[in-house]
Amino acid sequence: MTTDQSHDELHVQAKRRVVSLIPGSVVNLLEYDLESLTAFCELLGEKRFRAIQLFRWIHQRGCANFEDMSDLAKSLRQKLKGVAEIKPMEVVSQHISYDGTIKWLFDVGGGNVIESVFIPEDDRGTLCLSTQAGCAMGCRFCSTGHQGFSRNLTTGEIIGQLWFAEHFLRKHLQRDERVISNAVMMGMGEPLQNYAVLVPALRMMLDDHAYGLSRRRVTVSTSGLVKKMDLLGLECPVALAVSLHAPNNALRDYLVPLNIKHPLEELMPACVSYLAHAPRDFITFEYCMLDAVNDTDALAHELVQLVKHYGHSVSWCKFNLIPFNPFPASGLHRSKPERILAFAQILSASGITTTIRKTRGDDIDAACGQLAGDVVDRTRVAVRIARQRSAEPAATALATATGAKI
Ligand code: SAH
Ligand code: SF4
């Protein structure tokens, strides 16, 4: 490619993404999955194998400086200068819990700060990633939801969390091999509301030239965007977790407002359909245990009926009970340990595999639902939630009618 060409505005459709060379602009290569990077290298007159080399330097070796990419042709390094860069997000702070959990806050500009959490365990290292700055879903029990929504993250901002954490940890722990074995989209935001941007990031997580994670070890958690669940199954089937939290529409409408749009009659069949593509033969339901709200025996039995109603047996799903992690504005309380056990026993007795999630990193506000970064709310979600809370007597009546107490 000539210099003149490089100053033309060129566009290439790489699968679903547009890759371009715009005069004067510098692209952040963290934004590109391998298809897009290949298209970008083609614009520079380079072959696919060069893109693979570059991709491996960036993601497998964590290199952010073209000069250090020693086996990359000098001519390519030269071409990349001025049109491309590898620009990680700025780390605002790092907190380390007594249990080894690490939380990082990243500045994504415009007054927004997002969070990622690394959870070390004996047999795995899990990174919990954010997909949006804030969240527009407004779930009743979620700190991110209470903050409101600012914007979707970009692909580079999503993968940039893994890029930073993996290479930081390798350096810190002096390890050559992979530290992070699992990635869960359970940080700030509703991943499927940022679907088009999320999928290239997921592909990078799975790509053997990048992080090479198994599909079983990459989990998307959703509050129930059913159409996008269908698409994910077709386009990038990774493990799926669905935030259920209630066995009937009345209570779920209150806890997860998205349920009003996509009630259980839509959500449950979408879960069952996903099984045809899922990397495991089950999907996981998450159920946040809220004292005297959704934790009664009656509701546990109703949950069993719900699962039986939509599947041939109960083995198509697993339940993960999450003890509620309180935050100041919630006004809610965690179910007592003995209540959580009793609830779990009812599910288990019916044959449903049920686990109780161990709370990690709560001393640094890194536990599920406590991630709140700093977000400029552009959607008035926070105002809506405040209004919803002031209407709580109505919610109490509603929950009482459905067997729960709020
Ligand atoms: N938006 C997605 C993923 C992020 S939330 C979703 O809702 O699935 C990740 C998980 O944490 C979800 O299951 C969510 O319901 C749960 N969660 C949210 N707030 C919580 C809290 N305060 N305590 C415990 N779990 C919470
Ligand atoms: Fe958003 Fe998930 Fe929190 Fe609901 S639980 S507000 S969907 S982040």
Side-chain angles (χ1 to χ4, degrees), residues 82-120:
V83 294
E85 62 185 346
I86 297 141
K87 192 165 182 245
M89 292 169 290
E90 195 192 315
V91 181
V92 177
S93 65
Q94 170 179 287
H95 305 265
I96 304 181
S97 160
Y98 66 92
D99 67 14
T101 299
I102 308 177
K103 178 171 87 167
W104 292 284
L105 273 73
F106 297 98
D107 186 348
V108 293
N112 294 310
V113 174
I114 57 141
E115 306 191 354
S116 316
V117 179
F118 172 67
I119 307 145

Side-chain angles (χ1 to χ4, degrees), residues 141-142 185-187 189-191 221-223 243 245 286 288 322-325 368-369:
F141 48 83
C142 174
M185 310 311 124
M186 294 186 185
E190 167 49 56
S221 176
T222 181
S223 54
S243 297
H245 309 306
E286 292 159 290
C288 178
I322 315 174
F324 171 62
N325 293 308
C368 290

Side-chain angles (χ1 to χ4, degrees), residues 28-43:
N28 184 359
L29 296 186
L30 286 174
E31 296 292 340
Y32 289 164
D33 62 4
L34 187 52
E35 287 319 314
S36 304
L37 191 63
T38 303
F40 183 74
C41 283
E42 279 165 5
L43 290 179

Side-chain angles (χ1 to χ4, degrees), residues 30 41 45 76 118 134 146 156 172 174 209 213 217 224 282 287 290 312 321 328 335 338 351 369 375 385 393 397 399:
L30 286 174
C41 283
L76 174 55
F118 172 67
H146 273 244
H172 186 70
Q174 293 180 333
H209 295 300
L213 301 183
R217 290 169 176 266
F282 63 86
Y287 197 100
L290 299 160
H312 294 303
L321 306 182
S335 303
E338 54 276 19
V375 162
I385 291 175

Side-chain angles (χ1 to χ4, degrees), residues 296-307:
T296 62
D297 283 356
L299 289 170
H301 287 294
E302 204 178 334
L303 217 40
V304 174
Q305 292 315 312
L306 183 77
V307 166

Side-chain angles (χ1 to χ4, degrees), residues 132 135-137 149 152 190-196 225 228:
Q132 298 182 309
C135 184
M137 297 298 158
F149 175 71
N152 282 328
E190 167 49 56
L192 294 187
Q193 219 194 16
N194 193 10
Y195 180 85
L225 283 166
K228 293 292 166 22

